[in-house]
């Protein structure tokens, strides 16, 4: 494994030039030297290097229907009507189809500048709802797709048991998702046996939501997971839609986030996906808990969810990261930009999330997303520092949109200056997987994806 040399790089202490990153045998950073000559044998990169950002919330199968839910219905379209469109689209998808769609998504993910993915995976069963012979069949396909792309994956099998609060019976559209407690434990045991020692896979769980997992089952599942995998991530959808909050209040007398805080005291293992509709006291409590808020601004905008209280949450030191969720867009730039723009639109101010006077807005956003994504996925990444994975994105400083920029101005222009993809190279665990904007397997993966969609949607 060669060492890496960058013309410039963002380190924890700031920007540096002529940066040599020495690697160990596992693709971790062993040492960093600045102002150094490029030694013989080192792999050289001309652009500006930053630690990668993890995509902390993905439903890979939804990439197949991106853009297909935009035709107006009866004028009352909402998240809930879109969900029915998504359910119907799953009816014909088999494991081969899922793997083809996921592999295409994961190549796009890397080329956009994400360097890990947390796959919130709930397409578990056959089209009639019966388990496959191997209950982990589609989970294996997610890992296979990630490995084909060279993307580290945090696999989050989803526990989905009910269609609403109080254990309401699942609908026909949910038949491929459903597990009872025993079935879910068999699935997670199988995944631990297959991937428990893998360097490129982290294992967690994803109770889908409070409406989909009854109280006793949630407690039982979290306890079993904690006993088997004490550091394993726990991700959950929460307070995404106002209707969810209203239904929670009607059922329990508690708002979803309020209920979760009271019953489960989420800590740094937890990632609360969306958390869009919170009171100020809930915002403060989640920020103090050490949990990560998993924000998906482009999906939340597409589904009409609402704006996360980013200014208040971040002012309290809350941890957060970003995910592309439904993959209506696969771009850390767009999600970070919309997080800031949402704060601007609701406050009437600019540079709302910069974190103080004369600070770079983009640098604050990027560094927070790096840290929150690393925490939520469980990968030792998110910073260019010894002991961390060498998961690195190289920006194309020769591109006109980055002309004459240096330091934090590179980040501000990357996030706010336009829509061209400014990621030129991507390194995963010290190995270059995207070079000069090309992934070595992208043509074959795209061809398979195109054939798959032709069959599924034709």
């Amino acid at each position: 494994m060669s060492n890496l040399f960058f013309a410039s790089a963002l380190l924890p202490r700031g920007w540096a030039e002529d940066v040599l990153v020495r690697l160990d045998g596992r693709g971790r950073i062993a040492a960093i030297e600045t102002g150094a000559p490029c030694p013989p044998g080192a792999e050289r990169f001309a652009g500006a290097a930053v630690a990668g950002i993890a995509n902390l919330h993905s439903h890979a199968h939804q990439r197949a229907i991106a853009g297909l839910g935009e035709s107006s219905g009866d004028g009352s379209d909402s998240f809930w009507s879109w969900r029915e469109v998504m359910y119907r689209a799953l009816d014909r998808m088999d494991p081969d189809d899922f793997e083809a769609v996921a592999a295409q998504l994961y190549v796009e993910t890397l080329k956009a500048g994400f360097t890990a993915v947390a796959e919130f995976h709930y397409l578990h069963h056959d089209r009639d709802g019966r388990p496959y012979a191997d209950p982990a069949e589609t989970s294996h396909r997610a890992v296979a797709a990630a490995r084909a792309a060279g993307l580290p994956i945090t696999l989050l099998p989803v526990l989905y048991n009910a269609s609403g609060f109080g254990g309401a019976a699942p609908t026909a559209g949910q038949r491929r998702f459903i597990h009872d407690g025993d079935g879910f434990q068999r699935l997670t045991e199988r995944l631990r046996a297959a991937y428990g020692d893998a360097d490129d896979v982290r294992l967690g769980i994803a109770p889908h939501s409070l409406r989909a997992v009854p109280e006793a089952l949630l407690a039982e599942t979290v306890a079993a997971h904690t006993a088997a995998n004490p550091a394993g991530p726990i991700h959950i959808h929460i307070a995404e839609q106002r209707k969810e909050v209203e239904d929670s209040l009607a059922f329990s007398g508690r708002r979803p986030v309020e209920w979760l805080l009271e019953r489960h005291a989420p800590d740094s293992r937890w990632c609360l996906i969306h958390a869009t509709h919170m009171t100020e006291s809930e915002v403060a409590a989640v920020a103090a808990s050490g949990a990560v808020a998993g924000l998906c601004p482009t999906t939340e905008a597409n589904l009409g969810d609402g704006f996360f209280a980013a200014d208040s949450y971040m002012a309290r030191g809350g941890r957060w990261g970003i995910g592309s969720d439904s993959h209506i867009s696969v771009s850390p730039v767009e999600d970070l930009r919309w997080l800031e723009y949402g704060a601007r639109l609701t406050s009437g101010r600019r540079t709302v999330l910069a974190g103080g006077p004369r600070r770079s807005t983009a640098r604050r956003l990027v560094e927070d997303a790096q840290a929150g994504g690393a925490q939520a996925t469980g990968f030792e990444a998110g910073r260019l520092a010894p002991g961390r994975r060498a998961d690195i994105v190289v920006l194309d400083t020769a591109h006109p949109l980055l002309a004459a920029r240096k330091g934090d101005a590179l980040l501000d222009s990357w996030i706010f200056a336009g829509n061209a993809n400014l990621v030129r190279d991507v390194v995963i665990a010290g190995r270059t997987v995207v070079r000069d904007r090309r992934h070595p397997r992208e043509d074959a993966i795209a061809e398979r994806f195109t054939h798959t969609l032709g069959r599924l949607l034709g």
Side-chain angles (χ1 to χ4, degrees):
M1 183 173 290
S2 65
N3 296 318
L4 311 174
F5 186 86
F6 302 98
S8 65
L10 179 58
L11 307 178
R13 64 179 180 273
W15 287 93
E17 295 185 353
D18 297 329
V19 178
L20 176 64
V21 176
R22 297 192 181 276
L23 306 174
D24 68 15
R26 298 175 59 220
R28 268 60 174 176
I29 298 172
I32 295 178
E33 301 172 23
T34 60
C38 182
E43 186 173 5
R44 186 166 194 153
F45 299 85
V50 297
I53 298 171
N55 184 339
L56 58 64
H57 192 60
S58 166
H59 303 302
H61 62 276
Q62 292 182 22
R63 187 58 175 156
I65 62 164
L68 297 183
E70 304 306 314
S71 298
S72 177
D74 60 4
S76 60
D77 285 355
S78 68
F79 166 87
W80 306 99
S81 59
W82 170 88
R83 190 179 72 164
E84 293 305 314
V85 173
M86 186 267 292
Y87 285 173
R88 289 194 296 273
L90 297 180
D91 283 347
R92 298 175 65 185
M93 185 175 282
D94 65 22
D96 286 342
D97 299 331
F98 171 72
E99 185 176 341
V101 170
Q104 174 65 24
L105 168 68
Y106 294 157
V107 168
E108 294 175 18
T109 297
L110 281 165
K111 292 181 69 175
F114 287 116
T115 53
V117 66
E119 187 58 45
F120 199 103
H121 176 62
Y122 56 85
L123 188 62
H124 296 302
H125 307 312
D126 208 342
R127 286 169 285 185
D128 59 5
R130 288 184 294 180
Y132 292 105
D134 182 345
E137 174 69 31
T138 55
S139 297
H140 295 318
R141 298 305 188 99
V143 174
R147 286 177 167 171
L151 180 68
I153 184 170
T154 299
L155 189 60
L156 300 164
V158 171
L159 175 59
Y160 207 121
N161 181 259
S163 65
F165 289 98
T171 67
Q174 296 165 341
R175 64 187 179 278
R176 303 192 70 176
F177 317 156
I178 301 302
H179 273 115
D180 61 16
D182 290 341
F184 189 72
Q185 293 308 317
R186 286 193 294 272
L187 171 61
T188 56
E189 287 167 5
R190 202 160 179 86
L191 294 175
R192 286 195 297 272
Y195 307 111
D197 296 325
D199 197 50
D200 59 341
V201 180
R202 295 291 182 270
L203 296 175
I205 60 168
H208 180 273
S209 57
L210 297 182
R211 67 178 186 272
V213 184
E215 178 178 353
L217 180 57
L218 178 59
E220 168 192 316
T221 301
V222 169
H225 174 66
T226 300
N229 187 6
I234 304 169
H235 290 217
I236 187 170
H237 290 137
I238 199 154
E240 178 178 5
Q241 283 279 323
R242 289 187 178 90
K243 182 179 184 299
E244 179 187 349
V245 177
E246 293 164 0
D247 290 350
S248 179
L249 284 166
F251 173 70
S252 68
R254 294 286 188 274
R255 300 168 58 86
V257 172
E258 178 186 23
W259 189 96
L260 188 71
L261 290 164
E262 287 180 359
R263 303 297 180 92
H264 286 280
D267 57 21
S268 60
R269 297 175 302 158
W270 287 73
C271 182
L272 309 189
I273 304 297
H274 304 303
T276 306
H277 299 287
M278 293 195 289
T279 64
E280 276 299 306
S281 62
E282 289 170 338
V283 167
V286 172
S289 73
V292 174
L295 310 179
C296 311
T298 54
T299 291
E300 289 152 5
N302 184 263
L303 297 179
D305 290 346
F307 286 123
F308 178 79
D311 189 12
S312 176
Y313 182 78
M314 292 167 66
R316 290 176 165 85
R319 305 176 191 186
W320 60 275
I322 56 168
S324 55
D325 193 354
S326 69
H327 312 300
I328 196 71
S329 169
V330 184
S331 168
V333 168
E334 189 167 9
D335 276 308
L336 291 175
R337 182 186 298 166
W338 265 105
L339 186 64
E340 167 68 20
Y341 283 177
R344 294 184 187 189
L345 287 167
T346 54
S347 70
R349 297 181 287 118
R350 297 188 72 252
T351 63
V352 179
L353 305 180
R358 294 176 295 280
R359 291 191 62 184
S360 160
T361 304
R363 180 164 171 183
R364 202 283 177 89
L365 294 172
V366 167
E367 289 185 332
D368 276 16
Q370 289 166 336
Q375 178 177 321
T377 56
F379 284 106
E380 304 82 6
R383 302 176 74 196
L384 300 187
R388 300 294 182 109
R389 289 172 55 96
D391 295 344
I392 303 169
V393 169
V394 184
L395 302 179
D396 184 3
T397 52
H399 193 283
L401 288 177
L402 297 184
R405 272 72 162 180
K406 291 186 179 296
D408 290 348
L410 288 167
L411 298 182
D412 284 329
S413 295
W414 179 32
I415 302 303
F416 294 108
N419 293 317
N421 185 358
L422 301 179
V423 172
R424 192 177 70 186
D425 309 308
V426 180
V427 176
I428 299 295
R431 183 172 67 90
T432 303
V433 296
V434 174
R435 187 61 141 158
D436 294 329
R437 294 187 171 83
R438 289 283 300 173
H439 187 285
R441 301 186 68 181
E442 66 179 78
D443 291 339
I445 287 172
E447 181 178 1
R448 183 183 177 194
F449 173 78
T450 301
H451 174 78
T452 297
L453 260 62
R455 189 182 68 78
L456 288 175
L457 305 177

